């Protein structure tokens, strides 16, 4: 995000044009680098490589390195047009590194390519960017988002949980008679291998995509939004329709942010003329939101979020050997307690969990704390620690002859870094 006082902000006012045609341009961005220390329980001879402790030098994906250029121009009284292009620079992203890939080649990520018209009747945006429900589940007054962001998998998401030695499987014969217990072997362990990204997710309404979006003028304290568009080639969505509501209002003792979102994303088939799955509803439904309260006189704040993700199982998912007990409803829940005595200091403790991300009767959770020091508007130094845990109940293959009881080691991550905005 560019600073309002950015030295690269340029105002261009034509000497020969009418004042109504004055244009304003801004170039800005940020660099956000961090060091992650990880204790993940890995060992070189069991579902992983390297030692059980690792250091990673990363780009913090909570708020990644990026550059942007934008411009606005007054069209007529009350009407403004403009455009924004923002590109992320992905060098060793914190959600991708793992013991096998400590260094990942840099790449560019199209974040936003938008054109818009803003008027007294609302704002219309066309291009690649945020849908109407995007971030409605991520509203937060804590000031610690750079280290304690709502999506816990953005720091350490590529790390996998190690299976404990206490993991076991129960075996049955063709008649359903119990024949004994056995330890996992490597191949069967892979069927139970799960990463942080695979265990916990905040379901942020399909992310950025190509769409047309409408945001209403403020109706009292509320702004309503709607968008429709298409998924990118890298995802599985044919169409995406979203609705959102955001509100910032004064309440007794302080102020509050409220967001609600709803989306329907239609999954596509393997070819353009092929239906997704004749036996399954192609629509994925996501709904939920967040609320954040800030107490003005003390700086204490609290944030709550809840988002659900519903997707009917495909034919293959119903009938596959290892598809028994797959989930059709994922649920994310989150609470953060913060303390922000001034604009220079912010603290938080937080807990989040996703239930039934992949299978029924499983839970990925995180408990953590973070601190951000912001000596100036352009500079942040931060540190945080968190523990990720994963639990999966017993599940059986479709034949019923093997039932798995995996147990997982926790993953501990300590991160410190700095963000410089320009």
């Amino acid at each position: 995000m560019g600073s309002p006082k950015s030295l690269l902000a340029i105002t261009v006012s034509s000497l020969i044009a009418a004042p109504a045609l004055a244009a304003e341009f801004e170039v800005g961005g940020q660099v956000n680098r961090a060091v992650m220390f990880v204790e993940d329980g890995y060992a070189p001879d069991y579902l992983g490589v390297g030692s059980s402790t690792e250091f990673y030098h990363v780009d913090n994906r909570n708020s990644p390195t990026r550059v942007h250029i934008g411009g606005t121009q007054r069209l007529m009284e009350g009407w403004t047009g403009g455009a924004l292009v923002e590109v992320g620079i992905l060098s060793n992203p914190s959600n991708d590194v793992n013991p096998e890939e400590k260094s990942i080649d840099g790449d560019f990520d199209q974040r936003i390519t938008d054109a818009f018209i803003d008027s007294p009747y609302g704002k219309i945006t066309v291009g690649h960017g945020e849908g109407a429900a995007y971030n409605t589940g991520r509203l937060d007054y804590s000031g610690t988002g750079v280290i304690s962001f709502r999506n816990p998998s953005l720091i350490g998401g590529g790390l996998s949980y190690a299976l404990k030695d206490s993991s076991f499987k129960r075996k049955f014969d063709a008649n359903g008679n119990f024949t004994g217990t056995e330890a996992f072997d490597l191949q069967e362990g892979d069927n139970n291998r799960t990463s942080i990204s695979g265990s916990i997710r905040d379901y942020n309404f399909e992310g950025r995509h190509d769409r047309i979006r409408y945001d209403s003028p403020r109706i009292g304290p509320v702004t309503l939004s709607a968008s429709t568009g298409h998924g990118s080639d890298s995802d599985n969505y044919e169409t995406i329709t979203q609705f959102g509501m955001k509100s910032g209002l004064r309440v007794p003792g302080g102020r509050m942010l409220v967001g609600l979102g709803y989306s329907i994303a239609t999954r596509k088939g393997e070819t353009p003329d092929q239906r997704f799955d004749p036996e399954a509803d192609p629509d994925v439904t996501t709904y939920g939101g967040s609320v954040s309260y800030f107490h003005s006189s003390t700086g204490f704040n609290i944030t709550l979020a809840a988002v659900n993700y519903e997707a009917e199982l495909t034919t293959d998912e119903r009938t596959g050997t290892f598809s028994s007990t797959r989930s059709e409803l994922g649920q994310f829940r989150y609470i953060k307690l913060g303390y922000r005595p001034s604009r220079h200091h912010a603290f938080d403790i937080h807990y989040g969990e996703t239930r039934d991300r992949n299978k029924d009767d499983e839970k990925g959770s995180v408990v953590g704390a973070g601190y951000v020091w912001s000596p100036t508007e352009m500079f942040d130094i931060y540190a945080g620690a968190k523990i990720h845990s994963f639990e999966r109940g017993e599940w059986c293959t479709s034949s019923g002859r093997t039932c798995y009881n995996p147990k997982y080691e926790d993953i501990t991550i300590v991160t410190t870094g700095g963000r410089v905005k320009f």
Side-chain angles (χ1 to χ4, degrees), residues 66-400:
R66 70 190 74 161
V67 293
H68 68 253
I69 179 170
T72 59
Q73 186 173 47
R74 182 184 177 192
L75 304 177
M76 63 183 74
E77 183 64 33
W79 291 68
T80 303
L84 174 65
V85 175
E86 185 172 270
V87 177
I89 303 171
L90 307 182
S91 173
N92 241 33
S94 59
N95 60 332
D96 286 341
V97 291
N98 59 69
E100 295 173 297
E101 292 184 292
K102 283 189 173 183
S103 296
I104 299 174
D105 291 341
D107 199 0
F108 293 96
D109 173 42
Q110 178 192 10
R111 291 172 59 86
I112 299 173
T113 308
D114 270 347
F116 63 86
I117 294 178
D118 200 357
S119 77
Y121 307 101
K123 182 180 180 180
I124 294 178
T125 307
V126 179
H128 183 91
E130 300 171 357
Y134 189 88
N135 277 349
T136 55
R138 293 177 169 178
L139 304 182
D140 185 359
Y141 267 132
S142 72
T144 60
V146 68
I147 182 62
S148 301
F149 192 55
R150 187 62 46 79
N151 185 355
S153 68
L154 291 181
I155 291 182
L159 304 172
S160 292
Y161 296 94
L163 283 163
K164 293 182 177 180
D165 292 337
S166 56
S167 301
F168 66 94
K169 58 186 178 182
R170 297 193 301 142
K171 302 290 289 185
F172 299 83
D173 63 22
N175 296 319
N177 299 311
F178 176 66
T179 60
T181 61
E182 299 177 9
F184 286 12
D185 59 37
L186 287 180
Q187 183 178 0
E188 290 168 326
D190 284 343
N191 295 319
N192 288 278
R193 184 170 176 172
T194 301
S195 66
I196 289 177
S197 291
S199 69
I200 191 166
R201 179 183 176 189
D202 73 336
Y203 301 119
N204 189 31
F205 301 98
E206 291 80 47
R208 298 180 181 89
H209 56 280
D210 294 310
R211 84 286 183 246
I212 180 170
R213 170 173 171 167
Y214 170 76
D215 297 282
S216 75
R218 285 180 64 90
I219 305 171
V222 172
T223 298
L224 302 176
S225 304
S227 65
T228 184
H230 301 279
S232 66
D233 291 339
S234 61
D235 61 38
N236 297 318
Y237 299 130
E238 181 67 34
T239 60
I240 300 172
T241 302
Q242 296 186 0
F243 303 93
M245 184 279 288
K246 290 183 180 180
S247 178
L249 62 159
R250 295 286 180 179
V251 295
R255 55 191 186 271
M256 180 177 289
L257 296 172
V258 180
L260 293 173
Y262 179 86
S263 75
I264 298 176
T266 302
R267 294 175 284 186
K268 59 187 177 183
E270 295 182 1
T271 61
D273 60 345
Q274 183 179 18
R275 183 178 170 178
F276 167 69
D277 187 329
E279 303 299 324
D281 184 347
D283 290 341
V284 175
T285 304
T286 309
Y287 54 92
S290 59
V291 58
S292 187
Y293 171 77
F294 184 88
H295 190 255
S296 299
S297 61
T298 64
F300 285 104
N301 52 85
I302 182 170
T303 299
L304 304 171
V307 181
N308 287 354
Y309 176 90
E310 293 185 4
E312 189 171 307
L313 297 183
T314 66
T315 302
D316 289 343
E317 288 171 338
R318 290 193 189 98
T319 59
T321 301
F322 296 102
S323 294
S324 178
T325 71
R326 284 187 65 95
S327 171
E328 293 188 323
L329 173 64
Q331 303 173 73
F332 176 75
R333 304 292 184 263
Y334 186 89
I335 181 170
K336 178 188 283 189
L337 301 176
Y339 176 54
R340 196 174 187 180
S342 71
R343 70 178 184 86
H344 300 297
H345 302 279
F347 309 80
D348 84 87
I349 57 174
H350 59 272
Y351 172 81
E353 67 177 36
T354 298
R355 290 187 176 271
D356 306 331
R357 168 79 170 86
N358 303 288
K359 293 181 176 294
D360 294 330
D361 195 22
E362 71 174 25
K363 181 178 74 172
S365 62
V366 63
V367 59
Y371 167 67
V372 181
W373 176 48
S374 305
T376 71
E377 188 176 356
M378 296 178 61
F379 193 68
D380 299 313
I381 296 177
Y382 54 84
K386 60 178 182 172
I387 299 173
H388 282 270
S389 302
F390 184 60
E391 304 169 15
R392 175 175 286 167
E394 181 182 73
W395 66 278
C396 304
T397 61
S398 57
S399 68

Side-chain angles (χ1 to χ4, degrees), residues 46-67:
Y46 195 61
L47 288 182
V49 297
S51 67
S52 61
T53 60
E54 303 280 350
F55 277 98
Y56 299 92
H57 299 272
V58 297
D59 193 280
N60 182 347
R61 287 287 285 161
N62 282 348
S63 181
T65 296
R66 70 190 74 161
V67 293

